[in-house]
CSV table of all heavy atoms in Angstrom, one decimal:
chain,number,residue,atom,x,y,z
A,223,ARG,N,-44.0,-85.5,48.6
A,223,ARG,CA,-44.6,-85.4,50.0
A,223,ARG,C,-46.0,-84.9,49.9
A,223,ARG,O,-46.9,-85.4,50.6
A,223,ARG,CB,-43.8,-84.4,50.8
A,223,ARG,CG,-44.2,-84.2,52.2
A,223,ARG,CD,-43.2,-83.4,53.0
A,223,ARG,NE,-42.9,-82.0,52.4
A,223,ARG,CZ,-41.8,-81.7,51.8
A,223,ARG,NH1,-40.8,-82.5,51.7
A,223,ARG,NH2,-41.6,-80.5,51.3
A,224,GLU,N,-46.3,-83.9,49.0
A,224,GLU,CA,-47.6,-83.4,48.8
A,224,GLU,C,-48.5,-84.3,48.0
A,224,GLU,O,-49.8,-84.3,48.1
A,224,GLU,CB,-47.6,-82.0,48.1
A,224,GLU,CG,-46.8,-81.0,48.9
A,224,GLU,CD,-47.5,-80.6,50.2
A,224,GLU,OE1,-48.7,-80.6,50.3
A,224,GLU,OE2,-46.7,-80.4,51.2
A,225,GLY,N,-47.9,-85.1,47.1
A,225,GLY,CA,-48.6,-86.0,46.2
A,225,GLY,C,-48.7,-85.3,44.8
A,225,GLY,O,-49.3,-84.3,44.7
A,226,PRO,N,-48.1,-86.0,43.8
A,226,PRO,CA,-48.1,-85.4,42.4
A,226,PRO,C,-49.5,-85.0,41.9
A,226,PRO,O,-49.7,-84.1,41.1
A,226,PRO,CB,-47.5,-86.5,41.6
A,226,PRO,CG,-46.6,-87.2,42.6
A,226,PRO,CD,-47.4,-87.2,43.8
A,227,ASP,N,-50.5,-85.7,42.4
A,227,ASP,CA,-51.9,-85.5,41.9
A,227,ASP,C,-52.5,-84.2,42.5
A,227,ASP,O,-53.6,-83.8,42.1
A,227,ASP,CB,-52.8,-86.6,42.2
A,227,ASP,CG,-52.5,-87.9,41.4
A,227,ASP,OD1,-51.8,-87.7,40.3
A,227,ASP,OD2,-52.9,-89.0,41.8
A,228,THR,N,-51.7,-83.6,43.4
A,228,THR,CA,-52.2,-82.3,44.0
A,228,THR,C,-51.4,-81.1,43.6
A,228,THR,O,-51.8,-80.0,43.9
A,228,THR,CB,-52.2,-82.4,45.6
A,228,THR,OG1,-50.9,-82.4,46.1
A,228,THR,CG2,-52.9,-83.7,46.1
A,229,VAL,N,-50.2,-81.3,43.0
A,229,VAL,CA,-49.3,-80.2,42.7
A,229,VAL,C,-49.5,-79.8,41.2
A,229,VAL,O,-49.3,-80.6,40.3
A,229,VAL,CB,-47.8,-80.6,42.9
A,229,VAL,CG1,-46.9,-79.5,42.5
A,229,VAL,CG2,-47.6,-81.0,44.4
A,230,GLY,N,-49.9,-78.6,41.0
A,230,GLY,CA,-50.2,-78.1,39.7
A,230,GLY,C,-49.0,-77.4,39.0
A,230,GLY,O,-48.9,-77.5,37.8
A,231,ALA,N,-48.2,-76.7,39.8
A,231,ALA,CA,-47.1,-76.0,39.2
A,231,ALA,C,-46.0,-75.7,40.1
A,231,ALA,O,-46.1,-75.7,41.4
A,231,ALA,CB,-47.6,-74.7,38.6
A,232,PHE,N,-44.8,-75.4,39.6
A,232,PHE,CA,-43.6,-74.9,40.3
A,232,PHE,C,-43.3,-73.6,39.6
A,232,PHE,O,-43.3,-73.5,38.4
A,232,PHE,CB,-42.5,-75.9,40.1
A,232,PHE,CG,-41.1,-75.3,40.6
A,232,PHE,CD1,-40.9,-75.0,41.9
A,232,PHE,CD2,-40.1,-75.1,39.7
A,232,PHE,CE1,-39.7,-74.5,42.3
A,232,PHE,CE2,-38.9,-74.6,40.1
A,232,PHE,CZ,-38.7,-74.3,41.4
A,233,ILE,N,-43.1,-72.5,40.4
A,233,ILE,CA,-42.8,-71.2,39.9
A,233,ILE,C,-41.4,-70.8,40.4
A,233,ILE,O,-41.0,-71.0,41.6
A,233,ILE,CB,-43.8,-70.2,40.3
A,233,ILE,CG1,-43.5,-68.8,39.7
A,233,ILE,CG2,-44.0,-70.0,41.8
A,233,ILE,CD1,-44.6,-67.8,39.8
A,234,ALA,N,-40.6,-70.2,39.5
A,234,ALA,CA,-39.3,-69.8,39.9
A,234,ALA,C,-38.8,-68.6,39.0
A,234,ALA,O,-39.1,-68.6,37.8
A,234,ALA,CB,-38.3,-70.9,39.7
A,235,GLU,N,-38.1,-67.7,39.6
A,235,GLU,CA,-37.4,-66.7,38.9
A,235,GLU,C,-36.1,-67.3,38.5
A,235,GLU,O,-35.4,-67.9,39.3
A,235,GLU,CB,-37.1,-65.5,39.8
A,235,GLU,CG,-38.3,-64.8,40.4
A,235,GLU,CD,-37.8,-64.1,41.8
A,235,GLU,OE1,-37.5,-62.9,41.7
A,235,GLU,OE2,-37.9,-64.8,42.8
A,236,PRO,N,-35.6,-67.1,37.2
A,236,PRO,CA,-34.3,-67.7,36.8
A,236,PRO,C,-33.2,-67.2,37.6
A,236,PRO,O,-32.3,-67.9,38.0
A,236,PRO,CB,-34.2,-67.2,35.3
A,236,PRO,CG,-35.7,-67.1,34.9
A,236,PRO,CD,-36.4,-66.6,36.1
A,237,VAL,N,-33.2,-65.9,37.9
A,237,VAL,CA,-32.3,-65.3,38.9
A,237,VAL,C,-33.2,-64.6,39.9
A,237,VAL,O,-34.0,-63.7,39.5
A,237,VAL,CB,-31.3,-64.3,38.3
A,237,VAL,CG1,-30.4,-63.6,39.4
A,237,VAL,CG2,-30.4,-65.0,37.3
A,238,GLN,N,-33.1,-64.9,41.2
A,238,GLN,CA,-34.0,-64.3,42.2
A,238,GLN,C,-33.6,-62.9,42.4
A,238,GLN,O,-32.4,-62.6,42.9
A,238,GLN,CB,-34.0,-65.1,43.5
A,238,GLN,CG,-34.7,-66.5,43.2
A,238,GLN,CD,-34.7,-67.4,44.5
A,238,GLN,OE1,-34.0,-68.3,44.5
A,238,GLN,NE2,-35.6,-67.0,45.4
A,239,GLY,N,-34.4,-61.9,42.2
A,239,GLY,CA,-34.1,-60.5,42.2
A,239,GLY,C,-34.2,-59.9,43.6
A,239,GLY,O,-33.2,-59.7,44.3
A,240,ALA,N,-35.4,-59.6,44.0
A,240,ALA,CA,-35.7,-58.9,45.3
A,240,ALA,C,-35.2,-59.7,46.5
A,240,ALA,O,-35.0,-59.2,47.5
A,240,ALA,CB,-37.1,-58.5,45.4
A,241,GLY,N,-35.1,-61.0,46.3
A,241,GLY,CA,-34.7,-61.9,47.4
A,241,GLY,C,-33.2,-61.9,47.6
A,241,GLY,O,-32.7,-62.6,48.5
A,242,GLY,N,-32.4,-61.2,46.7
A,242,GLY,CA,-31.0,-61.1,47.0
A,242,GLY,C,-30.1,-61.4,45.8
A,242,GLY,O,-28.9,-61.6,45.9
A,243,VAL,N,-30.6,-61.3,44.6
A,243,VAL,CA,-29.9,-61.5,43.3
A,243,VAL,C,-29.2,-62.9,43.5
A,243,VAL,O,-27.9,-63.0,43.5
A,243,VAL,CB,-28.8,-60.4,43.0
A,243,VAL,CG1,-28.2,-60.6,41.7
A,243,VAL,CG2,-29.5,-59.0,43.1
A,244,ILE,N,-30.0,-63.9,43.6
A,244,ILE,CA,-29.5,-65.3,43.8
A,244,ILE,C,-29.4,-65.9,42.4
A,244,ILE,O,-30.4,-66.2,41.7
A,244,ILE,CB,-30.4,-66.1,44.7
A,244,ILE,CG1,-30.5,-65.4,46.1
A,244,ILE,CG2,-29.9,-67.5,44.8
A,244,ILE,CD1,-31.5,-66.0,47.0
A,245,VAL,N,-28.1,-66.2,42.0
A,245,VAL,CA,-27.9,-66.8,40.7
A,245,VAL,C,-27.7,-68.3,40.9
A,245,VAL,O,-26.8,-68.8,41.7
A,245,VAL,CB,-26.6,-66.3,40.0
A,245,VAL,CG1,-26.4,-66.9,38.7
A,245,VAL,CG2,-26.7,-64.8,39.9
A,246,PRO,N,-28.5,-69.2,40.3
A,246,PRO,CA,-28.5,-70.6,40.6
A,246,PRO,C,-27.3,-71.3,39.9
A,246,PRO,O,-26.8,-70.8,38.9
A,246,PRO,CB,-29.8,-71.1,40.0
A,246,PRO,CG,-30.0,-70.2,38.8
A,246,PRO,CD,-29.6,-68.9,39.3
A,247,PRO,N,-26.8,-72.4,40.5
A,247,PRO,CA,-25.8,-73.2,39.8
A,247,PRO,C,-26.3,-73.7,38.4
A,247,PRO,O,-27.5,-73.9,38.2
A,247,PRO,CB,-25.5,-74.3,40.7
A,247,PRO,CG,-26.1,-73.9,42.1
A,247,PRO,CD,-27.2,-73.0,41.8
A,248,ASP,N,-25.4,-73.9,37.5
A,248,ASP,CA,-25.8,-74.3,36.2
A,248,ASP,C,-26.5,-75.7,36.1
A,248,ASP,O,-27.2,-75.9,35.1
A,248,ASP,CB,-24.5,-74.4,35.3
A,248,ASP,CG,-24.0,-73.0,34.9
A,248,ASP,OD1,-24.8,-72.0,35.1
A,248,ASP,OD2,-22.9,-72.8,34.5
A,249,ASP,N,-26.3,-76.5,37.1
A,249,ASP,CA,-27.0,-77.8,37.0
A,249,ASP,C,-28.4,-77.8,37.6
A,249,ASP,O,-29.1,-78.9,37.7
A,249,ASP,CB,-26.1,-78.9,37.7
A,249,ASP,CG,-25.8,-78.6,39.2
A,249,ASP,OD1,-26.2,-77.5,39.7
A,249,ASP,OD2,-25.2,-79.4,39.9
A,250,TYR,N,-28.9,-76.7,38.0
A,250,TYR,CA,-30.2,-76.6,38.7
A,250,TYR,C,-31.4,-76.7,37.8
A,250,TYR,O,-32.2,-77.6,37.9
A,250,TYR,CB,-30.3,-75.3,39.6
A,250,TYR,CG,-31.6,-75.1,40.3
A,250,TYR,CD1,-32.0,-75.9,41.3
A,250,TYR,CD2,-32.4,-74.1,39.9
A,250,TYR,CE1,-33.2,-75.7,42.0
A,250,TYR,CE2,-33.6,-73.9,40.5
A,250,TYR,CZ,-34.0,-74.7,41.6
A,250,TYR,OH,-35.2,-74.5,42.2
A,251,PHE,N,-31.5,-75.8,36.9
A,251,PHE,CA,-32.8,-75.7,36.1
A,251,PHE,C,-33.0,-76.9,35.1
A,251,PHE,O,-34.1,-77.3,34.9
A,251,PHE,CB,-32.9,-74.4,35.3
A,251,PHE,CG,-33.5,-73.3,36.2
A,251,PHE,CD1,-32.7,-72.2,36.6
A,251,PHE,CD2,-34.8,-73.4,36.7
A,251,PHE,CE1,-33.3,-71.2,37.4
A,251,PHE,CE2,-35.3,-72.4,37.5
A,251,PHE,CZ,-34.6,-71.3,37.8
A,252,PRO,N,-31.9,-77.4,34.5
A,252,PRO,CA,-32.2,-78.7,33.7
A,252,PRO,C,-32.8,-79.8,34.6
A,252,PRO,O,-33.7,-80.5,34.1
A,252,PRO,CB,-30.7,-79.0,33.2
A,252,PRO,CG,-30.0,-77.7,33.1
A,252,PRO,CD,-30.5,-77.0,34.3
A,253,ARG,N,-32.3,-79.9,35.8
A,253,ARG,CA,-32.9,-81.0,36.7
A,253,ARG,C,-34.4,-80.6,37.1
A,253,ARG,O,-35.2,-81.5,37.1
A,253,ARG,CB,-32.1,-81.1,37.9
A,253,ARG,CG,-30.8,-81.9,37.7
A,253,ARG,CD,-29.9,-82.0,38.9
A,253,ARG,NE,-28.7,-82.7,38.6
A,253,ARG,CZ,-28.4,-84.0,39.0
A,253,ARG,NH1,-29.4,-84.6,39.7
A,253,ARG,NH2,-27.3,-84.6,38.7
A,254,VAL,N,-34.6,-79.3,37.3
A,254,VAL,CA,-36.0,-78.9,37.6
A,254,VAL,C,-36.9,-79.2,36.5
A,254,VAL,O,-38.0,-79.7,36.7
A,254,VAL,CB,-36.0,-77.3,37.9
A,254,VAL,CG1,-37.4,-76.8,37.8
A,254,VAL,CG2,-35.4,-77.1,39.3
A,255,ARG,N,-36.5,-79.0,35.2
A,255,ARG,CA,-37.4,-79.3,34.1
A,255,ARG,C,-37.7,-80.8,34.0
A,255,ARG,O,-38.8,-81.2,33.7
A,255,ARG,CB,-36.7,-78.8,32.8
A,255,ARG,CG,-37.4,-79.0,31.5
A,255,ARG,CD,-38.7,-78.1,31.3
A,255,ARG,NE,-39.9,-78.7,31.8
A,255,ARG,CZ,-41.1,-78.2,31.7
A,255,ARG,NH1,-41.2,-77.0,31.1
A,255,ARG,NH2,-42.1,-78.8,32.2
A,256,GLU,N,-36.6,-81.6,34.2
A,256,GLU,CA,-36.8,-83.0,34.2
A,256,GLU,C,-37.8,-83.5,35.3
A,256,GLU,O,-38.7,-84.3,35.1
A,256,GLU,CB,-35.5,-83.7,34.4
A,256,GLU,CG,-34.5,-83.6,33.3
A,256,GLU,CD,-33.1,-84.1,33.7
A,256,GLU,OE1,-33.0,-84.6,34.8
A,256,GLU,OE2,-32.2,-83.9,32.8
A,257,ILE,N,-37.7,-82.9,36.5
A,257,ILE,CA,-38.6,-83.3,37.6
A,257,ILE,C,-40.0,-82.9,37.3
A,257,ILE,O,-41.0,-83.6,37.5
A,257,ILE,CB,-38.1,-82.7,38.9
A,257,ILE,CG1,-36.7,-83.3,39.3
A,257,ILE,CG2,-39.1,-82.8,40.0
A,257,ILE,CD1,-36.0,-82.6,40.4
A,258,CYS,N,-40.2,-81.7,36.8
A,258,CYS,CA,-41.6,-81.2,36.5
A,258,CYS,C,-42.2,-82.1,35.4
A,258,CYS,O,-43.4,-82.5,35.5
A,258,CYS,CB,-41.5,-79.8,36.0
A,258,CYS,SG,-41.2,-78.6,37.3
A,259,ASP,N,-41.4,-82.5,34.4
A,259,ASP,CA,-41.9,-83.4,33.4
A,259,ASP,C,-42.3,-84.8,34.0
A,259,ASP,O,-43.3,-85.4,33.6
A,259,ASP,CB,-40.9,-83.6,32.3
A,259,ASP,CG,-40.7,-82.3,31.4
A,259,ASP,OD1,-41.6,-81.5,31.5
A,259,ASP,OD2,-39.7,-82.2,30.7
A,260,ARG,N,-41.4,-85.3,34.9
A,260,ARG,CA,-41.6,-86.6,35.4
A,260,ARG,C,-42.9,-86.7,36.2
A,260,ARG,O,-43.6,-87.7,36.2
A,260,ARG,CB,-40.4,-87.0,36.3
A,260,ARG,CG,-40.4,-88.4,36.9
A,260,ARG,CD,-39.2,-88.6,37.8
A,260,ARG,NE,-37.9,-88.2,37.1
A,260,ARG,CZ,-36.9,-87.6,37.7
A,260,ARG,NH1,-37.0,-87.3,39.0
A,260,ARG,NH2,-35.9,-87.2,37.0
A,261,TYR,N,-43.3,-85.7,36.9
A,261,TYR,CA,-44.4,-85.7,37.8
A,261,TYR,C,-45.6,-84.9,37.2
A,261,TYR,O,-46.6,-84.7,38.0
A,261,TYR,CB,-44.1,-85.2,39.2
A,261,TYR,CG,-43.0,-86.1,39.8
A,261,TYR,CD1,-41.7,-85.7,39.9
A,261,TYR,CD2,-43.4,-87.4,40.3
A,261,TYR,CE1,-40.7,-86.5,40.5
A,261,TYR,CE2,-42.4,-88.2,40.9
A,261,TYR,CZ,-41.1,-87.8,41.0
A,261,TYR,OH,-40.2,-88.6,41.5
A,262,ASP,N,-45.6,-84.5,36.0
A,262,ASP,CA,-46.7,-83.8,35.3
A,262,ASP,C,-47.0,-82.5,36.1
A,262,ASP,O,-48.2,-82.3,36.4
A,262,ASP,CB,-47.9,-84.7,35.3
A,262,ASP,CG,-48.7,-84.5,34.0
A,262,ASP,OD1,-48.2,-83.8,33.1
A,262,ASP,OD2,-49.8,-85.1,33.9
A,263,VAL,N,-46.0,-81.7,36.3
A,263,VAL,CA,-46.2,-80.4,37.0
A,263,VAL,C,-45.8,-79.3,36.0
A,263,VAL,O,-44.7,-79.4,35.4
A,263,VAL,CB,-45.2,-80.4,38.3
A,263,VAL,CG1,-45.2,-79.0,38.9
A,263,VAL,CG2,-45.7,-81.4,39.3
A,264,LEU,N,-46.6,-78.3,35.9
A,264,LEU,CA,-46.3,-77.2,35.0
A,264,LEU,C,-45.2,-76.3,35.6
A,264,LEU,O,-45.1,-76.1,36.8
A,264,LEU,CB,-47.5,-76.3,34.7
A,264,LEU,CG,-48.6,-77.0,34.0
A,264,LEU,CD1,-49.8,-76.1,33.9
A,264,LEU,CD2,-48.2,-77.5,32.6
A,265,PHE,N,-44.3,-75.8,34.8
A,265,PHE,CA,-43.2,-75.0,35.2
A,265,PHE,C,-43.5,-73.6,34.8
A,265,PHE,O,-43.5,-73.3,33.6
A,265,PHE,CB,-41.9,-75.5,34.6
A,265,PHE,CG,-40.6,-74.7,34.9
A,265,PHE,CD1,-40.6,-73.8,36.0
A,265,PHE,CD2,-39.5,-74.8,34.1
A,265,PHE,CE1,-39.5,-73.0,36.2
A,265,PHE,CE2,-38.4,-74.1,34.4
A,265,PHE,CZ,-38.3,-73.2,35.4
A,266,ILE,N,-43.6,-72.7,35.8
A,266,ILE,CA,-43.8,-71.2,35.5
A,266,ILE,C,-42.5,-70.5,35.7
A,266,ILE,O,-41.9,-70.6,36.8
A,266,ILE,CB,-44.9,-70.6,36.4
A,266,ILE,CG1,-46.2,-71.4,36.4
A,266,ILE,CG2,-45.1,-69.1,36.1
A,266,ILE,CD1,-47.2,-71.0,37.5
A,267,ALA,N,-42.0,-69.8,34.7
A,267,ALA,CA,-40.8,-69.0,34.8
A,267,ALA,C,-41.3,-67.6,35.0
A,267,ALA,O,-41.9,-67.0,34.1
A,267,ALA,CB,-40.0,-69.1,33.5
A,268,ASP,N,-40.9,-67.0,36.1
A,268,ASP,CA,-41.2,-65.6,36.4
A,268,ASP,C,-40.0,-64.8,35.9
A,268,ASP,O,-39.0,-64.6,36.6
A,268,ASP,CB,-41.4,-65.4,37.9
A,268,ASP,CG,-41.7,-64.0,38.3
A,268,ASP,OD1,-41.4,-63.1,37.5
A,268,ASP,OD2,-42.2,-63.7,39.4
A,269,GLU,N,-40.1,-64.3,34.7
A,269,GLU,CA,-39.1,-63.5,34.0
A,269,GLU,C,-39.4,-62.0,34.1
A,269,GLU,O,-39.0,-61.3,33.2
A,269,GLU,CB,-38.8,-64.0,32.6
A,269,GLU,CG,-38.2,-65.4,32.6
A,269,GLU,CD,-36.9,-65.6,31.8
A,269,GLU,OE1,-36.2,-64.6,31.7
A,269,GLU,OE2,-36.7,-66.7,31.2
Side-chain angles (χ1 to χ4, degrees):
R223 184 169 59 248
E224 298 297 320
D227 290 340
T228 72
V229 179
F232 170 66
I233 184 169
E235 304 153 89
V237 178
Q238 292 180 253
V243 189
I244 300 169
V245 182
D248 287 340
D249 58 357
Y250 176 68
F251 276 115
R253 287 175 178 257
V254 163
R255 180 71 268 184
E256 292 170 4
I257 291 165
C258 288
D259 289 341
R260 186 180 310 144
Y261 297 104
D262 217 12
V263 170
L264 296 178
F265 177 19
I266 305 168
D268 181 341
E269 295 233 28

